[in-house]
Amino acid sequence: MIKTLIIDDEPLAASIVQEYLAKFPQFELVGVCQNGFQGLKSIQEHNPDLIFLDVQMPKITGFEMLELLDEPPAVIFTTAFDQYALSAFDAKAIDYLLKPFSQDRFSQAIEKFLAQQGANNESSHKLNELAEKRNRLVVRVKNEIKIIPTHEASFFEAEDDYIAIHTASGKYLKKMTMKSLEEALDPNKFVRVHRSYLINLNEITKIEPYERDNYLVLLRGGEKVPVSKTGYSRLRQVLGL
């Protein structure tokens, strides 16, 4: 259920929103408030997903009420004054319903909200997928599938169309590009120090000069990884040097 709250000082207007909202069974009305202070209290109590908010109300306006919230819910404004439309969209409103509005116009606003929720859910799913990639890599070893936690990799090395994953238990090959690997890993834990090398920051024991404008990174396992001039700048930035 999508928790919904109505905040409007006009009882008739609030009842119309309530009537229109009843056409959408997936929405649960958790309260009807007559001013911004009541609205603040009800938002803290119910944590609604969506609020229908009037602009001109006694004590504080709808905009002022939103300013008092650290993380306001999704908002559909309902007002008799069209001059607040730009301010409403600056406040990232889902829609702006100008009173009196019809059931059809109300339904359009609901559809906008549902469409945005769908986009947010898809984005969240993609972020979860990215987090999964950041935490582990799946490789094929002969006829077996092996899952390698990314924190176990000391460094990654480009080998033609493959990435060599170097770990304490051995070296594994995965078909992917260095660019896609870099994008998948957590940039606060892994840094690309060279066109062909990406290292685990937790494995660094020492950074030392090597030829002109180049460096070597010494890792816990004794490996020495070349660092380009650009890679050194990235290292300094991430390590705060």
Side-chain angles (χ1 to χ4, degrees), residues 200-213:
N200 183 341
L201 293 177
N202 288 330
E203 295 294 314
I204 297 175
T205 60
K206 189 177 180 182
I207 303 173
E208 60 183 29
Y210 176 73
E211 298 182 346
R212 183 182 178 185
D213 294 330

Side-chain angles (χ1 to χ4, degrees), residues 45-193:
E45 180 180 352
H46 297 290
N47 190 28
D49 304 296
L50 172 67
I51 60 174
F52 290 91
L53 180 63
D54 191 8
V55 176
Q56 290 282 26
M57 294 184 293
K59 299 181 180 179
I60 58 173
T61 69
F63 292 118
E64 291 169 336
M65 189 206 78
L66 289 177
E67 289 175 1
L68 297 174
L69 295 169
D70 292 330
E71 296 183 10
V75 181
I76 295 176
F77 281 99
T78 58
T79 179
F81 304 95
D82 59 3
Q83 66 264 36
Y84 300 116
L86 287 178
S87 298
F89 289 110
D90 284 342
K92 299 181 180 178
I94 299 294
D95 209 339
Y96 188 89
L97 298 178
L98 192 61
K99 299 174 182 176
F101 46 85
S102 65
Q103 173 76 66
D104 286 345
R105 180 66 185 88
F106 180 89
S107 298
Q108 289 176 16
I110 290 291
E111 292 302 325
K112 284 184 181 180
F113 168 76
L114 292 175
Q116 186 177 95
Q117 288 295 103
N120 289 341
N121 289 339
E122 182 179 353
S123 176
S124 177
H125 179 66
K126 288 180 179 178
L127 287 174
N128 288 337
E129 285 185 340
L130 178 58
E132 187 74 10
K133 289 180 182 178
R134 287 183 171 182
N135 291 329
R136 66 184 194 176
L137 292 167
V138 180
V139 299
R140 183 180 294 277
V141 181
K142 295 183 180 179
N143 295 323
E144 297 181 354
I145 299 297
K146 182 174 179 61
I147 296 174
I148 305 172
T150 53
H151 71 267
E152 291 185 3
S154 56
F155 71 101
F156 303 88
E157 181 181 7
E159 292 191 7
D160 297 324
D161 294 333
Y162 291 82
I163 295 294
I165 305 167
H166 294 266
T167 73
S169 61
K171 169 183 166 181
Y172 305 92
L173 292 176
K174 182 174 180 64
K175 192 167 186 178
M176 69 185 305
T177 65
M178 185 64 78
K179 183 176 185 298
S180 60
L181 176 65
E182 182 181 11
E183 290 173 350
L185 294 173
D186 188 339
N188 294 313
K189 297 178 180 178
F190 297 89
V191 174
R192 189 171 181 179
V193 295

Side-chain angles (χ1 to χ4, degrees), residues 223-234:
E223 304 93 340
K224 294 183 178 182
V225 176
V227 179
S228 66
K229 183 177 180 181
T230 302
Y232 184 64
S233 296
R234 290 183 189 139

